Amino acid sequence: MPAAHNTRRRVLLMAGILLLACAATAGAGPGAQTPDQAVPRTATLDEILKGVSSYNGGIDSAALWKLRDYIYARKDDPAGRAECERKLLEFLKTPAPPLAKMAACRYLRVIGGDSSVPALQAMLSDTRTADMAIYALQQIPGGTAEKALLQALSTANPATRNAVIAALGARQAVAAVPALNELLQQPASGPAAALALGRIGGDAAAKALTAAYQGAAPEVKTAAARSMLMCAEQRLARGEAGGALELYEPLASDTSLPLPVRKAATMGRIASAGSGAPGIVLGLLGGTDADLQEAAIARIADVFAPDAIAPVCSLLPRLPAPAEVKVLAVVAHYPRELVLPSVLEAARSSDLPVRIAALKALESTGGPTVVPLLAETAARARGPEQTAARTTLGALRGREVDEAIVTLLARQPADDVACELIRTIADRRMYPAKRAVAGALTSASPRVRVEALRTLRTIGTPSDVPAALDLLLGSMDEVEQTEAETTIVGLTQKIADPDGRSDAVIARLAKAETPDEQVRLIRVLPQIGDASALPVLRAALEGDDPDVFDAAVRAFTEWPSSSARDDVLKLARDSRNETHRLLAIHAFIRLAGLDPYRDPDAAVADLRLAAGFSWRPDEEKLVLGELTKFPCQDALELAEGFLRDPSVAAEAQAAIDHIMEHLSKEAIPK
Amino acid sequence: MDKRGCSRREFLKTVPRAVAGAAAFPTIVRASALGRGAVPPSDRIVMAGIGFGMQGPPNMRSFLGKGEVQWVAVCDLDDRPLFRARDVVNEQYGNEDCATYKDYRELFARGDLDAVSIAVPDHWHAILSIAAVQAGLDVYGEKPFTHSLREGRLLCNAVKRYGRVWQTGSWQRSVENFRRAAELVRNGRIGRVQRVEVGLPSGHFDFARTFGQDTITSPPPGFDYETWIGPAPWVPYCKSRVHMNWRWNMDFGGGQLMDWVGHHLDIAHWGLGFDYTGPVKVTGTGEFPTKGIYNSPTKYWVEAVYADGTPMVLAGGYPEIQSGTTWIGENGWVWVNRGGFESQPAQLTREVIGPNEVRLHRSRDHYQDFLDSVRSRALTITPAEVAHRSASVGHLGVIAIETGRTIRWDPATETLIDDPGAERLLSRAYRRPYQIPA
């Protein structure tokens, strides 16, 4: 190699070594710091604002966060806050784009004071900066900001003026009332001025609004009316009912106003009328205007004392149905003895919504005497009426109601009524009524028996299992048998010791007299899931009766936990009955994947076994589905083995993709 | 008995249960096929909806399933969800009668509506809702109630002034377990409540799958972005900023904290009997992104104390605060979440609330509860005031986080105590030409 080339190579090598040394030094710990590498310097506000000045509303917001941190660290320190304010104001004078300046205004909203006002006020006259100026100015407290806004009323363009008006309203700037009063007459600003006056409130504002309302163009008139409502509310809150009435009365009768305004005014009028209020309400209720009726109904509770509701009740039957529904909802909160007769009459109405409303009202007005009515309605009605009756029956207060339910049930009412009463016992959690319900298990009516079974799930105890077993074994009806099974399972779950839950069923199985009884009892065991029953099932497999054998096989294949794994495996491997074999293979696959925290290798080994038993694509697809729960190398290999079979290739590929995704995530260092 | 002459059990003996198969059902059944004409048209509640990005469509579908509702119109600023919503309605009724609107004022001016479902970004809640009640409509609105504390009071007042029915989308109250849990606490089953923990989600979730789509572009055709921004400070359009993911920007939403106060904090209030009050002291800390277009806290810890001394923690991103609502009392605790209800002692969850004890408003169907109230004019299970009080705790939490101070609050007068700095954060100015209507 030529000497010059060698030299160049040596120089390059030395340079490379030097570079590496510098890099190493830069990444070294504190002990290796050079004199220039101290703790990173906190950026100055000028530097931060320079970064902000290029903000365009996009993703590059790092400078905004620095600005926030800088200002928030100093906002509670007067000197720091003043410095921030000054810098932000200087920034506003720069040619930075609007979005950048808005960032500054966000913080002037938080920290700005009197010294910010001149700059912000100047920005009001520029449509590009007016919004951001108001964003800050509206929230700066004190007279200086308020004065600036007031001044802007006469200098700003119409769009900005309305925003300034809104700001004054939000600030409840009383000093703005005279200026806003003048603006009421201007079509472009009138509605905004009316709105602001409403928010400011007070007598001067109310006076201005009243005058404007009387003479204004329609859009200002409506706005003024709305604001008069607000002023009236304020008077009412101060106890000035007379003053409130002065504002409400003209609005309530002005048919040129939108209906919602008149209704609101009517409600207000009633609220302000003092001793005259009941008369107004009754007059409106008895009238023909449905909308004003609604306004009157809204005030009944405020106007009629608990012992004075009789006149309203007497009007009930004469009201149109929609109004009667609303009034019933109100009187439901009045003393029972005063309103119950009216509610009961409404419960017999020919109008469905009225009956439903009455049934709902009975929840608070009814007592034990309404139990028969509710039970019969619940039994015979359908849809929302039935729901209302049932709900009320379940919610009626008082132990006497419980007693009335049990008493009525003891009189052996019609089946449908009995069922409703039994259902209600569950709804009300009437545990003391358990005996009565258990007695219903021997009713001649299948419907009643089924209802009793269902209720026992709620209020029954494990001591009710024998009676439910009697029903299970004695019934010829499949629906009833299923209900009995569910009840037995539910009751046994209340036994604290999980290993003793099947005891009652096992004991009964030992006494079973026919294969059919054995089958019915065996069917319950997997639903209970108590592993102590497994030996019983194994014994059943040894018997001669094919139905019992079939029941035992199915019980194993439905077992809810992996304690039946070995039994299921044996069935999958050795059954000569194809149906049993398929059931066992399905169950084995299910059990393999049952516990997501299981050792993946063991789970995959079981799935490999299951795959070996399978001869149909359906089972292979099940295996592939379970494989994805255990993403490991073995699972991957097993899934890959299925790729050759076109009937499951797509599922195999999906499983492979899923497993690979998990494996690759695990490979990425955290 | 099966019609083939053998019992169901005997039939199943012949085939493996797993292959017995499940019937496939059509997923949409025409209303007429279900006999929904049972309620005469004149008695139906006429409804429309505004906002079909995320919660709007499921709300509408729930109402469409009610025979007593006649849905007549949809309104959205974006053509795609607007026309999708219209098509759902037309499919339901088997006609093409559903009207579409881009401007809610035209919708409200129809004159035939009884109620409206509003599911729009938070920054539009107050304007739309107040306009709706002023138009004489009952409202099914979404949580949080409003985008600022002051808006909330204005909306509450408007609902009351115009005598309107309000239901908030705080549907957990219509789920049995939540009510039962709250009743247990209200009836003293755990003794005096010593502490409440409300665990909420953290971070930012990519609902719209638009994370990373941050390039500033023109809005797509058919989307009125200018109006969508509405009263909020203007920012340019990028896909990740709008539709569902708007909630991660404090100009439009309030992050996970404000998204969820209307659920688990609402339940906390229900159990405590604090529906019409609020805390007296709030502190908070939060962690925020340091870049990107979202700025709502990704992790937060808010502590509130109520007048009776009850302390509450609302936290997101702190595993020690279990998701859901937990009331811890002197005699035990109750925890409830979607799909979970536990207690100590364990048997409390099966405890009977006696006939003479406090029984909370029972609703099994949040939408039906609203419709029932529209007819009866009774309060819904989550009326405006309740929603406002739930949201208020969130707003105070945000203010506490922003100021870094202890916020002292008078819930009776809804005023801050000696904190003019925090006062500035109770409301925001609106961008021209938008104004709050009340």
Side-chain angles (χ1 to χ4, degrees):
Chain A
M1 189 179 287
H5 187 67
N6 271 347
T7 304
R8 201 165 91 229
R9 282 191 73 213
R10 258 186 251 127
V11 167
L12 284 171
L13 185 61
M14 289 304 296
I17 291 171
L18 265 173
L19 274 172
L20 279 171
C22 288
T25 306
Q33 275 185 342
T34 66
D36 289 334
Q37 285 180 335
V39 173
R41 181 178 64 80
T42 305
T44 65
L45 186 47
D46 286 329
E47 288 165 343
I48 293 171
L49 286 170
K50 192 173 177 200
V52 172
S53 67
S54 59
Y55 178 63
N56 66 351
I59 191 176
D60 194 7
S61 63
L64 297 185
W65 288 107
K66 288 178 187 163
L67 180 65
R68 179 186 191 275
D69 290 343
Y70 190 98
I71 291 175
Y72 275 20
R74 290 158 180 78
K75 64 176 172 50
D76 296 322
D77 162 53
R81 182 189 180 106
E83 187 241 348
C84 289
E85 189 178 6
R86 189 173 57 79
K87 291 283 183 188
L88 289 173
L89 290 171
E90 281 173 14
F91 182 73
L92 288 180
K93 291 181 195 161
T94 68
L99 284 166
K101 291 188 178 180
M102 179 66 202
C105 286
R106 286 182 189 274
Y107 295 107
L108 288 174
R109 169 181 177 246
V110 177
I111 65 166
D114 287 353
S115 40
S116 292
V117 173
L120 293 171
Q121 183 177 3
M123 289 163 71
L124 290 174
S125 54
D126 184 343
T127 194
R128 292 169 302 175
T129 55
D131 283 322
M132 61 184 82
I134 293 173
Y135 193 83
L137 263 176
Q138 180 176 302
Q139 311 306 119
I140 296 177
T144 310
E146 191 165 296
K147 214 168 169 181
L149 289 167
L150 273 168
Q151 285 170 354
L153 284 179
S154 50
T155 58
N157 65 52
T160 303
R161 184 179 304 128
N162 285 347
V164 170
I165 291 170
L168 287 164
R171 294 172 67 100
Q172 295 182 302
V174 175
V177 171
L180 294 174
N181 187 16
E182 289 193 21
L183 288 169
L184 281 172
Q185 309 308 321
Q186 297 184 19
S189 301
L195 200 53
L197 283 167
R199 290 192 70 179
I200 293 169
D203 288 340
K207 192 174 169 187
L209 288 165
T210 307
Y213 156 72
Q214 281 158 357
E219 57 277 4
V220 178
K221 181 173 182 177
T222 302
R226 292 193 198 284
S227 288
M228 284 166 68
L229 291 173
M230 291 163 68
C231 290
E233 268 165 36
Q234 292 157 14
R235 286 182 176 178
L236 212 51
R238 290 195 301 265
E240 298 165 22
L245 198 56
E246 276 175 17
L247 294 172
Y248 283 130
E249 282 210 301
L251 304 178
S253 54
D254 185 346
T255 53
S256 73
L257 287 174
L259 178 61
V261 175
R262 281 189 285 130
K263 281 171 75 171
T266 302
M267 288 191 286
R269 185 178 155 234
I270 295 169
S272 317
S275 58
I280 299 174
V281 170
L282 291 172
L284 291 172
L285 280 180
T288 54
D289 188 325
D291 293 308
L292 295 184
Q293 271 179 345
E294 189 177 293
I297 293 168
R299 285 284 171 255
I300 289 175
D302 299 325
V303 165
F304 290 88
D307 59 352
I309 196 62
V312 174
C313 289
S314 65
L315 273 177
L316 262 172
R318 300 203 293 271
L319 292 174
E324 196 176 354
V325 165
K326 297 178 181 79
V327 173
L328 282 166
V330 176
V331 303
H333 300 287
Y334 277 79
R336 170 188 300 175
E337 60 276 12
L338 298 178
V339 304
L340 183 58
S342 302
V343 174
L344 285 173
E345 192 181 337
R348 292 187 289 268
S349 168
S350 59
D351 187 274
L352 175 62
V354 171
R355 291 200 304 274
I356 292 172
L359 290 169
K360 289 179 179 176
L362 282 174
E363 182 176 326
S364 49
T365 60
T369 57
V370 306
V371 166
L373 166 68
L374 291 170
E376 281 167 24
T377 307
R380 311 248 150 94
R382 289 295 173 263
E385 191 175 8
Q386 181 183 50
T387 303
R390 282 176 171 171
T391 303
T392 296
L393 199 48
L396 277 175
R397 289 172 174 270
R399 230 160 278 287
E400 316 81 52
V401 173
D402 289 353
E403 288 162 9
I405 291 170
V406 174
T407 302
L408 184 55
L409 184 61
R411 288 197 203 130
Q412 297 189 332
D415 289 350
D416 50 1
V417 175
C419 286
E420 291 298 329
L421 293 168
I422 294 171
R423 170 199 283 263
T424 299
I425 288 172
D427 208 22
R428 294 174 68 89
R429 302 290 199 272
M430 288 167 53
Y431 294 102
K434 192 184 77 141
R435 206 164 158 190
V437 174
L441 288 176
T442 55
S443 166
S445 162
R447 280 181 62 189
V448 171
R449 294 197 300 265
V450 165
E451 204 61 57
L453 282 168
R454 290 175 181 161
T455 290
L456 279 177
R457 288 170 210 162
T458 303
I459 65 167
T461 60
S463 64
D464 296 306
V465 168
L469 283 169
D470 288 342
L471 194 47
L472 171 66
L473 296 179
S475 173
M476 301 310 293
D477 179 79
E478 269 194 33
V479 170
E480 194 172 23
Q481 288 172 26
T482 305
E483 296 282 354
E485 283 178 17
T486 308
T487 298
I488 292 163
V489 172
L491 290 174
T492 56
Q493 295 307 308
K494 296 181 184 183
I495 298 171
D497 176 13
D499 290 332
R501 287 176 182 158
S502 299
D503 287 356
V505 178
I506 293 171
R508 187 64 70 94
L509 193 55
K511 294 184 211 160
E513 292 175 355
T514 65
D516 181 58
E517 286 187 0
Q518 286 179 285
V519 166
R520 293 184 190 197
L521 292 166
I522 287 172
R523 252 194 330 251
V524 179
L525 291 174
Q527 298 178 63
I528 298 173
D530 167 12
S532 68
L534 289 173
V536 172
L537 292 180
R538 288 178 198 129
L541 286 178
E542 302 301 320
D544 297 325
D545 187 272
D547 289 336
V548 172
F549 182 86
D550 178 77
V553 169
R554 287 176 187 272
F556 274 121
T557 63
E558 289 163 16
W559 203 260
S561 71
S562 54
S563 48
R565 177 211 176 259
D566 292 343
D567 299 283
V568 171
L569 173 60
K570 194 159 178 262
L571 288 167
R573 195 179 52 213
D574 302 336
S575 278
R576 292 194 201 117
N577 178 305
E578 182 172 307
T579 300
H580 288 169
R581 229 178 129 200
L582 271 176
L583 285 171
I585 293 171
H586 281 227
F588 192 70
I589 295 170
R590 174 177 59 81
L591 291 176
L594 199 61
D595 178 3
Y597 301 108
R598 193 182 173 192
D599 171 37
D601 293 335
V604 174
D606 274 356
L607 290 169
R608 192 182 295 278
L609 268 176
F613 297 140
S614 305
W615 68 95
R616 307 185 321 160
D618 300 296
E619 285 68 50
E620 290 172 352
K621 289 176 188 176
L622 288 174
V623 167
L624 286 164
E626 293 297 332
L627 268 181
T628 58
K629 292 180 185 171
F630 305 98
C632 61
Q633 197 57 38
D634 283 352
L636 188 62
E637 285 168 15
L638 181 54
E640 283 170 346
F642 283 103
L643 282 173
R644 292 186 291 270
D645 181 350
S647 63
V648 297
E651 287 80 4
Q653 188 59 58
I656 290 167
D657 292 343
H658 181 92
I659 294 166
M660 291 282 293
E661 191 186 329
H662 270 267
L663 290 177
S664 62
K665 272 186 194 163
E666 282 170 10
I668 297 170
K670 293 198 169 58
Chain B
M1 283 293 254
D2 182 275
K3 284 182 185 169
R4 281 164 285 191
C6 66
S7 72
R8 185 179 71 86
R9 293 183 193 280
E10 286 168 355
F11 169 68
L12 284 173
K13 270 189 198 173
T14 62
V15 295
R17 207 158 282 179
V19 300
F25 293 100
T27 53
I28 296 175
V29 181
R30 290 257 171 97
S32 53
L34 293 171
R36 298 235 184 261
V39 178
S42 57
D43 284 353
R44 292 185 203 160
I45 295 170
V46 181
M47 288 192 69
I50 307 177
F52 292 93
M54 184 157 153
Q55 194 58 39
N59 287 350
M60 182 176 73
R61 285 180 194 273
S62 294
F63 282 120
L64 280 175
K66 307 289 183 193
E68 60 184 309
V69 167
Q70 187 71 33
W71 196 282
V72 297
V74 292
C75 178
D76 197 289
L77 292 171
D78 190 339
D79 284 350
R80 277 195 317 166
L82 177 68
F83 296 143
R84 265 201 305 263
R86 174 202 61 192
D87 293 344
V88 167
V89 176
N90 289 341
E91 166 96 37
Q92 174 77 12
Y93 295 125
N95 58 35
E96 292 186 1
D97 293 350
C98 181
T100 57
Y101 297 88
K102 298 290 271 274
D103 187 336
Y104 69 92
R105 291 167 296 187
E106 291 174 10
L107 174 69
F108 291 166
R110 281 175 64 107
D112 64 340
L113 296 177
D114 297 312
V116 65
S117 165
I118 297 177
V120 299
D122 302 356
H123 68 298
W124 264 104
H125 280 192
I127 294 179
L128 280 178
S129 302
I130 293 175
V133 302
Q134 285 181 342
L137 304 179
D138 296 326
V139 179
Y140 186 100
E142 277 302 328
K143 11 90 4 222
F145 191 54
T146 52
H147 194 38
S148 78
L149 251 168
R150 286 287 175 250
E151 282 180 344
R153 177 42 58 199
L154 291 173
L155 177 52
C156 275
N157 291 350
V159 170
K160 190 176 174 191
R161 181 180 310 132
Y162 292 97
R164 297 296 96 203
V165 165
W166 179 280
Q167 178 78 301
T168 323
S170 298
W171 53 262
Q172 288 180 172
R173 288 202 182 197
S174 293
V175 175
E176 175 94 357
N177 276 351
F178 287 100
R179 182 184 53 76
R180 285 174 49 73
E183 279 184 345
L184 287 173
V185 179
R186 286 286 284 271
N187 285 290
R189 292 301 196 270
I190 57 172
R192 194 182 81 79
V193 175
Q194 296 174 322
R195 177 177 167 85
V196 183
E197 293 179 355
V198 179
L200 307 179
S202 60
H204 300 152
F205 187 81
D206 190 2
F207 286 113
R209 295 192 200 153
T210 56
F211 277 11
Q213 297 183 45
D214 309 316
T215 306
I216 294 176
T217 64
S218 300
F223 177 31
D224 182 356
Y225 178 68
E226 180 65 28
T227 305
W228 187 92
I229 288 281
W234 191 87
V235 277
Y237 172 86
C238 65
K239 211 167 179 187
S240 54
R241 185 162 264 151
V242 297
H243 298 342
M244 298 190 230
N245 285 334
W246 47 262
R247 67 197 70 236
W248 314 128
N249 186 315
M250 300 300 279
D251 280 345
F252 312 128
Q256 299 279 23
L257 173 56
M258 291 310 301
D259 242 22
W260 281 85
V261 281
H263 284 312
H264 296 321
L265 186 281
D266 176 72
I267 296 299
H269 272 185
W270 207 22
L272 292 167
F274 287 174
D275 273 349
Y276 295 96
T277 185
V280 296
K281 197 165 79 168
V282 180
T283 57
T285 56
E287 288 182 18
F288 293 83
T290 53
K291 55 185 179 178
I293 66 162
Y294 301 131
N295 59 12
S296 65
T298 50
K299 203 173 164 183
Y300 47 92
W301 181 282
V302 172
E303 292 189 21
V305 179
Y306 289 75
D308 66 352
T310 305
M312 180 189 293
V313 169
L314 289 93
Y318 291 86
E320 62 267 39
I321 303 295
Q322 193 173 7
S323 176
T325 308
T326 311
W327 300 268
I328 300 156
E330 51 193 1
N331 301 332
W333 51 261
V334 173
W335 167 78
V336 68
N337 197 359
R338 297 175 186 184
F341 177 26
E342 293 173 15
S343 64
Q344 175 63 37
Q347 62 265 27
L348 278 184
T349 58
R350 289 170 35 233
E351 185 91 354
V352 177
I353 299 299
N356 295 314
E357 296 187 272
V358 173
R359 303 286 290 270
L360 297 175
H361 181 139
R362 195 173 191 180
S363 158
R364 289 196 166 117
D365 180 333
H366 210 59
Y367 303 96
Q368 188 61 51
D369 184 73
F370 171 65
L371 297 173
D372 290 345
S373 289
V374 167
R375 293 200 189 277
S376 69
R377 311 314 294 170
L379 284 179
T380 63
I381 195 168
T382 52
E385 189 73 30
V386 168
H388 170 57
R389 294 296 181 162
S390 301
S392 295
V393 181
H395 290 308
L396 291 169
V398 169
I399 292 173
I401 292 171
E402 287 294 306
T403 58
R405 290 195 293 277
T406 300
I407 301 301
R408 291 183 300 137
W409 177 250
D410 181 344
T413 58
E414 291 190 295
T415 50
L416 290 163
I417 299 171
D418 293 333
D419 199 333
E423 287 272 349
R424 301 174 183 231
L425 304 179
L426 292 176
S427 64
R428 296 175 181 84
Y430 282 8
R431 189 174 71 106
R432 298 165 301 156
Y434 300 94
Q435 292 185 23
I436 195 156

